[in-house]
Amino acid sequence: GAVVSQHPSRVICKSGTSVKIECRSLDFQATTMFWYRQFPKQSLMLMATSNEGSKATYEQGVEKDKFLINHASLTLSTLTVTSAHPEDSSFYICSARTSQSFGNEQFFGPGTRLTVL
Amino acid sequence: AQTVTQSQPEMSVQEAETVTLSCTYDTSESDYYLFWYKQPPSRQMILVIRQEAYKQQNATENRFSVNFQKAAKSFSLKISDSQLGDAAMYFCAYNMNRDDKIIFGKGTRLHILP
């Protein structure tokens, strides 16, 4: 149980285009979902927290107009990178938790590698 | 603000031996959770072990155990009988009970020598 999927696993896009990444909780209802960014050989950096049906809370320094997050249902959150540029190339990871999560445990997706040309 | 520090960027251990990864954290809270996550080359984050701050007993999961020293704000991970599959990046993490955020350390890359 507690499986989180992400789609796509890899995406390559041209500079200036927008890219949408989906995060789904497959066998549980995710009251809260999180989006992280990870640069090579570095730790996970929290970008934003989203609760179903409400606006996402962005971490300081993260541009909310560039990284659009929508948590439309209890099983789906999307991250859209708008007008992507090469510096947006990174590994994006989502995670999810439920109200029944023991010890505030988060379940992580497998990540999406974004390459902007 | 809460911080998590992992002072060992890389470590190596011989297969079948024991290795300890260090982690310290800073918080003024008394109620919180600590985690060790493993990130293998696949990049999938895997929970290794979890410790509740209110529990004095150190958590154990098979070959993995922690040494939780609350007063010293230390949370080290011991891996016994190291296996090749243990090679990964290990992240120490902190979560305050009433706050959803997980704060990660910078990670320790563990190499297993055959």
Side-chain angles (χ1 to χ4, degrees), chain A residues 32 34 36 38-39 41-44 46 51 59 91 93 97 102-106 108-110 113, chain B residues 33 35 37 39 42-45 47 50 52 91 95-97 99-102 104-106 109:
Chain A
T32 307
F34 305 84
Y36 296 87
Q38 186 178 31
F39 292 102
K41 298 184 179 182
Q42 292 191 23
S43 188
L44 281 70
L46 179 65
N51 294 293
E59 293 299 299
F91 194 69
I93 304 174
R97 67 178 294 270
F102 178 74
N104 276 2
E105 181 176 355
Q106 294 181 17
F108 286 83
R113 182 177 302 282
Chain B
Y33 293 86
F35 308 88
Y37 280 92
Q39 189 180 40
S42 68
R43 308 289 292 269
Q44 173 74 59
M45 294 287 284
L47 178 65
R50 169 181 47 225
E52 295 93 325
F91 292 101
N95 173 236
M96 198 162 62
N97 192 40
D99 189 326
D100 284 336
K101 297 179 187 179
I102 288 183
F104 288 92
K106 291 189 175 182
R109 183 166 299 282

Side-chain angles (χ1 to χ4, degrees), chain A:
Chain A
V3 178
V4 175
S5 70
Q6 278 184 244
H7 178 79
S9 58
R10 290 174 178 264
V11 58
I12 300 173
C13 69
K14 294 182 178 180
S15 186
T17 61
S18 294
V19 174
K20 180 184 286 188
I21 302 170
E22 292 186 349
C23 176
R24 293 181 185 273
S25 57
L26 299 185
D27 50 4
F28 67 99
Q29 292 187 325
T31 51
T32 307
M33 286 187 167
F34 305 84
W35 286 96
Y36 296 87
R37 184 173 181 177
Q38 186 178 31
F39 292 102
K41 298 184 179 182
Q42 292 191 23
S43 188
L44 281 70
M45 180 188 77
L46 179 65
M47 298 175 66
T49 302
S50 73
N51 294 293
E52 185 263 340
S54 60
K55 289 185 178 181
T57 301
Y58 290 81
E59 293 299 299
Q60 191 172 8
V62 178
E63 298 176 61
K64 61 180 181 181
D65 294 330
K66 181 167 189 61
F67 299 100
L68 301 179
I69 292 171
N70 184 19
H71 192 161
S73 76
L74 284 172
T75 59
L76 173 65
S77 177
T78 60
L79 167 67
T80 301
V81 183
T82 62
S83 186
H85 291 283
E87 58 265 30
D88 299 324
S89 298
S90 191
F91 194 69
Y92 293 88
I93 304 174
C94 74
S95 70
R97 67 178 294 270
T98 77
S99 58
Q100 288 84 40
S101 288
F102 178 74
N104 276 2
E105 181 176 355
Q106 294 181 17
F107 304 98
F108 286 83
T112 297
R113 182 177 302 282
L114 170 63
T115 302
V116 184
L117 302 177

Side-chain angles (χ1 to χ4, degrees), chain B residues 3-6 22-26 72-75 92:
Chain B
T3 58
V4 177
T5 302
Q6 293 178 251
S22 300
C23 173
T24 58
Y25 59 95
D26 187 25
K73 296 179 182 175
S74 170
F75 183 61
C92 179

Side-chain angles (χ1 to χ4, degrees), chain B residues 1-44:
Chain B
Q2 292 84 11
T3 58
V4 177
T5 302
Q6 293 178 251
S7 58
Q8 305 150 316
E10 288 194 60
M11 291 191 73
S12 297
V13 63
Q14 208 75 35
E15 193 176 3
E17 296 294 309
T18 296
V19 64
T20 299
L21 309 183
S22 300
C23 173
T24 58
Y25 59 95
D26 187 25
T27 183
S28 58
E29 303 294 328
S30 60
D31 191 11
Y32 51 87
Y33 293 86
L34 297 165
F35 308 88
W36 278 98
Y37 280 92
K38 170 184 178 181
Q39 189 180 40
S42 68
R43 308 289 292 269
Q44 173 74 59

